Amino acid sequence: MPGKEDGPSGSSKPPAAEEKPLDKGKGKVLDAAEEKKEPKKDKDGKIMEDGKLLPPEELSEEDQKLKEDLDMLVDRLLESDSSLYKPTLEAIKTSIKTSTSSMTAVPKPLKFLRPHYEKLEKAYESWPEGADKLSFADMLSVLGMTYSDSDRRDTLKYRLLSPSTDLGSWGHEYMRHLALEIGEEQNARQEEEAAGTAEPKSLDDLKDMASALVPYFLKHNAEADAVDLLSELEMIEDIPQYLDEDTYSRVCLYMVSMVALIPYPDNHDFLKTTFSIYTQYKQYTQALMLAIRLNEKSLLEKTFKSTKDKSTRRQMAFLLARQRICLDLSEEDMEEDPELADCLNNTKLPDHFKYLAKELNILDPKTPEDIYKTHLESTRTAGLTNTDSARHNLSSGFVNAFVNAGFGEDKLMLLPENKSQWMWKTKDEGMLSTTASVGMLMLWDVEMGLDKVDPFTYLDEDYVKAGAMLASGIISSGVRNDADPAMALLGDSEKLHAKNIHVRMASIMGLGLAYAGSNKEELLEILLPIVADTSLEMQLSAMAALSLGLVFAGSANSDISEAIFQTLMDDDRQKQLKDKWTRFMSLGLALLYFGQQEEVDVIIETLKAIEHPMSKATQVLAEACAWAGTGAVLNLQNFLHICNEHIDEDSEETKGDELLQAYAVIGLSLVAMGEDIGQEMVLRQFGHLMHYGEANIRKAVPLAMGLISPSNPQMKVYDTLSRYSHDNDIDVAINAIFAMGLLGAGTNNARLAQLLRQLASYYHRDANALFMVRIAQGLLHMGKGTLTINPFHTDKQCMSRVAASGLLIVLVSLIDAKDFILKDTHYLLYFIATAMNPRFLVTLDEDLKPVTVNVRVGQGVDVVGQAGRPKTITGWQTQSTPVLLGSGERAELEDEEYLPLSSILEGIVILRKNPEWEAAK
């Protein structure tokens, strides 16, 4: 470009005084470039000089002949001899259709006909009605493409004047152009109608035109164009009629991938349409995943009952169990297939998990020292990080619980009777948490687990009894048992009204964990009176509200929300409302609306009417939960506005406002966590918040960073957290350490393990920070590297409301870690049990017996809209099942000997013998 090198003045020559050899050359080139000015052109692209046309560019003989022929044909159309019209039009059309051009060049006939376009338009107006005029409009519609840069929409105008069945013969570019103009025309009509400048016009003509285009697009692998066109005209529910066996899967894949980018309620229309397509083509497992996303129980039951195939129903039962959804089976179903209830209740989960552990050869229990590896810490602090204090023993109890979770064996708690157990080495509430760790060790194994917990219930120490109650709840988390032992043990009025507050707290929390997501009506009778009883301490009422929120997560249960509102407005409670536990009551209310999107607006409006320090904070929590995992931009903007406000330190009401901002930060990652682009943008915002935010915002940022990719150690995130873990503000540092554990939970990530060991040395004098380092190390090696706490599962298609709720509870308790986790309620960490799941792929035959097959495991690739049958994974390795799947990894079968009954190989998958495989052999 002229003048680019020569600074702002734009002069083409550099100053003579400093002319270097290099500059000389540059100057000359620039001079030459300036002399070579761009010639002027008229609107048809012909070169002009001083307003006069220059001689046309030189054409080859072939092109010259084509131009003369076309000019002659145009002259014929402008003459009055109507007998020549039909053959002339046919000749022009044939010339356009048969012309060949490169991808970037305009076809020659269109180029030569363009100057005549206005004359042809006038001629068209003067022609009488008839077949010739329709044919003329057909040709003008194609010529109209050459005027696409102006706001004329001629292609569509003449196409509507000339209905034709064979649109496809004009080619793909013409069809796409027509689709574009249909969208523009619809917008123009709606804008005119809204402005009142024109009479309302029907869109039926455009819809009919679209109906002619869609089959062509689908036939030519342009399903994205077909879906976009119907979506623009709000006709997406009509797409099933155009589909067949070959096209439906590509269309559905594109539609589901668009859901995250479409506003409510259109996104639900897309999901419902895709659901109906999958049901029509008997893809029941995929239809079920969409029913789960739509959160409609009627659709779940309809899908589940829509097939009588035993194995398919079992596969659907495994998917429902993974999402923690409880369906009640009829007696007829139970008789037909007694195994179905086991699949739906997750009863066999511990067996499959131990089968994986046995194959990976990791059944031997690990001790906390195996995790700490103090011999690798720096020699200067060796021995100082491993003191025999009650606090240190408590952290070892947690580490032991997380690392051996679900294995049913350890070296600290489940010992022979004559050996002293670990909880006697801790004090007070520490004994409660350490005893509860038995529940974590026996996770999911209800029958064996309760036998192991039973001896602890007979000890005299109340803290140990309370720990045993909590352990009973943890064991039952995520699995159902027909005998309902958790209800019998924990729902007992003797336990719920015991003298000791810890026994009562543990029983209430245990019920929440055991029945998370189950919507069990009996719990309303047990826990609602505790929420409403004003004579009780806030701690108990808040825990009851929280447990109810967890049990009825995402159900919008009106009885519970009314009870919580009454409590918040009750005069007797006013003095308690500034209690640190009140936040869990608001969280219980928010969890009821998890994933409910627009439905939450009623609650938010009601909260606005309450004058109460926690009212604003509860609104933010409710909004964050309702839109969790959707990536909704408007909500993210709202949360950023809240973070932007400055709080006066001196005012009395600051506590509620400080929490409000902390919740807004966590809300950012809760809403953005399901969508990759949103995640990137939110992570960048967190950097700004750390630079410019107040202390209350800064301590919430590391927690939010942990929540945005749990069990997915992305280097850019843990590097940032590693910096924050040395922050001057110890609250920020402690939360950053926990977030590092959350980020790597269950991955055994070696880099994170090294960073945490360094932090143990660095904080050897700070008991609180060291305690949190130990917890993070326990999380990192959770289940010896076989578990995940990521709420998204089945190839990130579904978000488990129960898992996300459990994580949120832990993070809310960590906003003021010194009041909760680091003080005396460290047992709140066990809420993470709701999010823990094996990250395995186990393949079973139709009799539900494990079967070993070869699978390729690699990083998943987005294949939406790609032509042909592209590979869905990259950089794969072949392994035999059972296998571990990391974050973002996918598996596919190596050969076609078996057919999987689930479209996505993750979790527990049933394989069916392929009859054609044997025949081919």
Side-chain angles (χ1 to χ4, degrees):
M1 279 176 66
K4 188 175 177 183
E5 266 89 351
D6 306 317
S9 64
S11 64
S12 60
K13 289 186 182 180
E18 292 185 35
E19 197 161 15
K20 297 172 190 167
L22 274 172
D23 288 334
K24 284 181 189 173
K26 281 186 186 171
K28 285 174 186 168
V29 171
L30 291 169
D31 289 344
E34 276 214 333
E35 285 165 19
K36 206 173 181 180
K37 285 184 180 167
E38 183 71 24
K40 287 184 184 174
K41 296 182 181 181
D42 78 340
K43 65 183 170 61
D44 290 330
K46 292 183 178 174
I47 297 172
M48 300 173 72
E49 192 173 328
D50 299 332
K52 295 174 189 170
L53 283 177
L54 286 177
E57 58 182 302
E58 289 293 318
L59 296 174
S60 65
E61 281 183 35
E62 196 180 334
D63 288 354
Q64 189 64 41
K65 183 174 185 317
L66 175 65
K67 184 174 186 307
E68 285 165 6
D69 289 351
L70 288 168
D71 289 349
M72 179 191 71
L73 290 169
V74 169
D75 290 341
R76 279 191 198 168
L77 290 177
L78 301 175
E79 289 166 6
S80 54
D81 186 355
S82 58
S83 61
L84 296 173
Y85 290 169
K86 188 174 180 183
T88 306
L89 286 168
E90 290 301 325
I92 292 179
K93 285 183 182 181
T94 309
S95 172
I96 294 172
K97 284 179 184 175
T98 54
S99 73
T100 54
S101 69
S102 67
M103 285 288 285
T104 50
V106 179
K108 294 274 172 38
L110 291 181
K111 185 175 172 186
F112 297 142
L113 286 168
R114 190 175 191 268
H116 303 293
Y117 185 65
E118 285 174 7
K119 286 185 281 181
L120 290 170
E121 274 193 306
K122 284 176 187 158
Y124 172 80
E125 298 297 333
S126 64
W127 279 25
E129 296 296 329
D132 287 347
K133 187 163 186 177
L134 290 177
S135 180
F136 197 176
D138 188 22
M139 183 199 79
L140 282 175
S141 173
V142 180
L143 269 183
M145 282 202 296
T146 58
Y147 276 88
S148 63
D149 49 346
S150 54
D151 200 15
R152 293 171 62 149
R153 294 193 285 281
D154 282 354
T155 303
L156 179 62
K157 171 183 157 189
Y158 289 110
R159 175 50 57 216
L160 290 171
L161 293 169
S162 158
S164 160
T165 49
D166 186 23
L167 295 178
S169 61
W170 288 113
H172 199 86
E173 191 55 41
Y174 173 74
M175 301 297 270
R176 291 186 64 174
H177 198 93
L178 201 51
L180 177 74
E181 292 198 356
I182 288 174
E184 288 174 353
E185 176 68 20
Q186 183 211 14
N187 289 341
R189 287 186 191 181
Q190 286 173 340
E191 281 168 15
E192 284 172 7
E193 191 182 327
T197 53
E199 287 291 308
K201 284 187 190 172
S202 162
L203 297 175
D204 291 347
D205 53 346
L206 299 183
K207 290 184 176 179
D208 293 343
M209 178 64 61
S211 304
L213 296 180
V214 169
Y216 176 86
F217 284 141
L218 291 173
K219 189 177 167 191
H220 292 81
N221 282 343
E223 56 281 334
D225 292 333
V227 172
D228 292 346
L229 179 59
L230 290 176
S231 169
E232 188 78 25
L233 293 169
E234 295 173 2
M235 295 166 58
I236 197 65
E237 62 280 355
D238 295 345
I239 201 166
Q241 67 196 49
Y242 303 109
L243 300 177
D244 57 27
E245 286 282 349
D246 300 324
T247 53
Y248 82 88
S249 59
R250 291 170 63 86
V251 168
C252 289
L253 189 65
Y254 180 70
M255 285 175 70
V256 170
S257 71
M258 277 182 70
V259 169
L261 311 171
I262 303 176
Y264 183 90
D266 295 350
N267 53 4
H268 273 206
D269 295 341
F270 261 64
L271 284 174
K272 280 181 179 161
T273 307
T274 318
F275 171 81
S276 64
I277 297 168
Y278 277 140
T279 312
Q280 182 185 338
Y281 290 98
K282 298 189 167 60
Q283 298 297 317
Y284 297 119
T285 53
Q286 281 154 299
L288 188 76
M289 298 311 296
L290 297 178
I292 289 172
R293 285 180 71 170
L294 284 163
N295 196 15
E296 290 186 23
K297 196 153 189 185
S298 56
L299 289 181
L300 287 170
E301 288 171 350
K302 176 186 164 192
T303 315
F304 197 70
K305 290 172 182 165
S306 54
T307 176
K308 286 287 174 204
D309 182 64
K310 205 182 270 188
S311 297
T312 306
R313 293 186 78 168
R314 287 174 176 180
Q315 182 64 67
M316 288 199 277
F318 281 131
L319 288 171
L320 288 171
R322 173 69 181 87
Q323 183 68 7
R324 305 275 196 270
I325 290 175
C326 303
L327 281 188
D328 296 319
L329 296 173
S330 63
E331 285 185 14
E332 183 191 338
D333 288 333
M334 302 281 275
E335 282 170 23
E336 272 182 33
D337 184 4
E339 299 274 335
L340 189 60
D342 281 351
C343 301
L344 201 53
N345 294 344
N346 242 346
T347 316
K348 292 277 190 288
L349 184 61
D351 299 346
H352 297 311
F353 183 55
K354 281 172 190 156
Y355 163 60
L356 167 84
K358 187 179 168 198
E359 292 292 318
L360 296 176
N361 197 18
I362 51 171
L363 279 172
D364 292 341
K366 286 198 167 194
T367 62
E369 179 49 42
D370 295 339
I371 303 305
Y372 301 160
K373 296 187 175 155
T374 38
H375 62 281
L376 293 178
E377 291 174 9
S378 68
T379 49
R380 186 170 53 81
T381 58
L384 295 174
T385 55
N386 213 355
T387 51
D388 189 22
S389 65
R391 187 62 178 274
H392 180 264
N393 292 341
L394 169 62
S395 59
S396 294
F398 273 112
V399 171
N400 180 53
F402 288 135
V403 172
N404 295 307
F407 285 89
E409 241 185 289
D410 79 325
K411 292 181 179 175
L412 298 188
M413 292 299 297
L414 303 172
L415 301 171
E417 286 178 19
N418 53 2
K419 287 202 173 178
S420 169
Q421 282 146 324
W422 195 254
M423 72 254 177
W424 303 118
K425 297 185 178 182
T426 57
K427 288 201 302 235
D428 303 344
E429 284 88 354
M431 292 165 86
L432 190 162
S433 290
T434 314
T435 311
S437 71
V438 176
M440 201 60 118
L441 297 169
M442 301 303 298
L443 195 60
W444 311 311
D445 193 348
V446 178
E447 288 170 9
M448 288 290 290
L450 293 176
D451 289 349
K452 300 274 190 189
V453 171
D454 195 46
F456 295 98
T457 57
Y458 297 115
L459 295 171
D460 288 340
E461 180 60 67
D462 279 337
Y463 286 116
V464 176
K465 275 186 184 166
M469 294 300 104
L470 185 50
S472 312
I474 295 170
I475 291 172
S476 308
S477 181
V479 288
R480 282 162 71 202
N481 190 304
D482 294 334
D484 250 357
M487 184 64 99
L489 283 166
L490 305 172
D492 178 10
S493 63
E494 190 186 317
K495 304 278 190 323
L496 291 172
H497 299 99
K499 285 181 186 161
N500 186 299
I501 188 170
H502 297 292
V503 174
R504 294 162 80 176
M505 278 290 282
S507 301
I508 295 167
M509 180 173 163
L511 283 171
L513 284 168
Y515 295 102
S518 67
N519 293 339
K520 200 172 180 64
E521 294 289 330
E522 294 112 280
L523 287 170
L524 290 176
E525 299 160 26
I526 295 173
L527 294 177
L528 273 181
I530 302 177
V531 175
D533 188 346
T534 54
S535 64
L536 289 176
E537 293 179 35
M538 192 57 167
Q539 187 174 352
L540 289 167
S541 296
M543 184 53 81
L546 187 58
S547 285
L548 283 170
L550 197 54
V551 173
F552 291 86
S555 67
N557 185 301
S558 55
D559 296 347
I560 305 171
S561 50
E562 278 171 27
I564 295 175
F565 272 128
Q566 287 307 118
T567 305
L568 291 176
M569 292 192 286
D570 198 314
D571 291 339
D572 298 341
R573 289 269 181 189
Q574 287 306 312
K575 58 184 179 297
Q576 290 185 338
L577 287 176
K578 295 223 174 101
D579 189 295
K580 66 178 184 179
W581 285 93
T582 312
R583 69 190 65 189
F584 291 110
M585 192 161 271
S586 345
L587 184 54
L589 178 64
L591 293 181
L592 291 174
Y593 290 87
F594 210 98
Q596 288 283 338
Q597 300 190 6
E598 301 269 305
E599 306 289 319
V600 79
D601 291 351
V602 182
I603 289 294
I604 290 177
E605 290 306 315
T606 318
L607 282 165
K608 283 179 183 169
I610 300 177
E611 283 188 17
H612 172 287
M614 286 303 288
S615 165
K616 281 186 186 168
T618 312
Q619 288 170 40
V620 171
L621 268 182
E623 185 182 338
C625 287
W627 296 91
T630 58
V633 179
L634 293 175
N635 303 83
L636 295 175
Q637 287 174 347
N638 182 26
F639 293 148
L640 284 168
H641 277 301
I642 292 168
C643 294
N644 201 21
E645 290 166 14
H646 178 70
I647 299 173
D648 292 331
E649 295 286 323
D650 307 330
S651 77
E652 288 227 340
E653 302 295 312
T654 55
K655 191 64 195 161
D657 288 342
E658 279 183 12
L659 273 178
L660 166 75
Q661 292 191 327
Y663 291 160
V665 175
I666 288 177
L668 283 170
S669 60
L670 195 61
V671 172
M673 71 192 292
E675 206 249 315
D676 293 340
I677 300 167
Q679 277 189 28
E680 293 281 336
M681 292 167 74
V682 165
L683 283 170
R684 197 173 310 140
Q685 294 296 340
F686 286 155
H688 299 322
L689 290 173
M690 281 304 273
H691 278 296
Y692 307 114
E694 316 276 332
N696 57 320
I697 292 179
R698 293 186 75 242
K699 68 183 177 189
V701 168
L703 298 174
M705 290 179 77
L707 178 62
I708 210 158
S709 62
S711 293
N712 177 16
Q714 301 177 53
M715 190 166 177
K716 59 182 179 195
V717 184
Y718 69 67
D719 268 1
T720 310
L721 285 171
S722 178
R723 280 206 309 280
Y724 296 159
S725 66
H726 295 82
D727 198 272
N728 292 335
D729 182 344
I730 193 67
D731 292 339
V732 174
I734 285 173
N735 285 352
I737 294 166
F738 181 81
M740 286 164 79
L742 208 57
L743 202 69
T747 61
N748 283 352
N749 185 290
R751 177 91 182 95
L752 270 170
Q754 185 191 3
L755 288 172
L756 289 170
R757 275 198 300 275
Q758 289 168 357
L759 284 166
S761 304
Y762 183 77
Y763 284 117
H764 71 277
R765 291 178 193 282
D766 185 326
N768 282 343
L770 184 57
F771 176 75
M772 201 50 94
V773 172
R774 295 309 185 204
I775 299 288
Q777 286 178 310
L779 289 173
L780 178 65
H781 297 281
M782 186 188 278
K784 300 175 201 164
T786 57
L787 298 175
T788 177
I789 55 168
N790 198 324
F792 286 90
H793 59 91
T794 319
D795 202 21
K796 293 193 176 174
Q797 283 191 19
C798 279
M799 180 188 203
S800 164
R801 287 187 289 281
V802 175
S805 304
L807 289 176
L808 189 60
I809 295 169
V810 176
L811 295 184
V812 167
S813 67
L814 277 158
I815 288 173
D816 287 319
K818 285 195 166 78
D819 287 345
F820 292 102
I821 304 279
L822 297 175
K823 195 176 181 190
D824 51 13
T825 48
H826 23 70
Y827 49 83
L828 290 172
L829 282 172
Y830 286 123
F831 272 113
I832 211 166
T834 58
M836 287 162 65
N837 251 295
R839 54 184 185 96
F840 59 16
L841 163 63
V842 171
T843 44
L844 309 177
D845 61 16
E846 292 193 75
D847 299 325
L848 302 184
K849 299 278 182 291
V851 56
T852 300
V853 292
N854 282 349
V855 289
R856 299 189 182 115
V857 179
Q859 276 297 316
V861 180
D862 186 11
V863 293
V864 177
Q866 287 189 19
R869 300 179 68 184
K871 288 267 186 286
T872 55
I873 57 175
T874 178
W876 69 76
Q877 292 178 324
T878 305
Q879 301 169 1
S880 59
T881 57
V883 294
L884 284 177
L885 295 176
S887 179
E889 285 186 339
R890 282 190 201 144
E892 53 184 44
L893 293 175
E894 188 181 41
D895 52 38
E896 293 181 6
E897 183 180 354
Y898 289 96
L899 300 173
L901 295 185
S902 167
S903 56
I904 292 158
L905 297 188
E906 192 178 307
I908 301 168
V909 177
I910 299 174
L911 301 181
R912 176 175 279 163
K913 275 273 188 197
N914 184 355
E916 293 171 15
W917 176 261
E918 293 297 328
K921 272 192 169 180

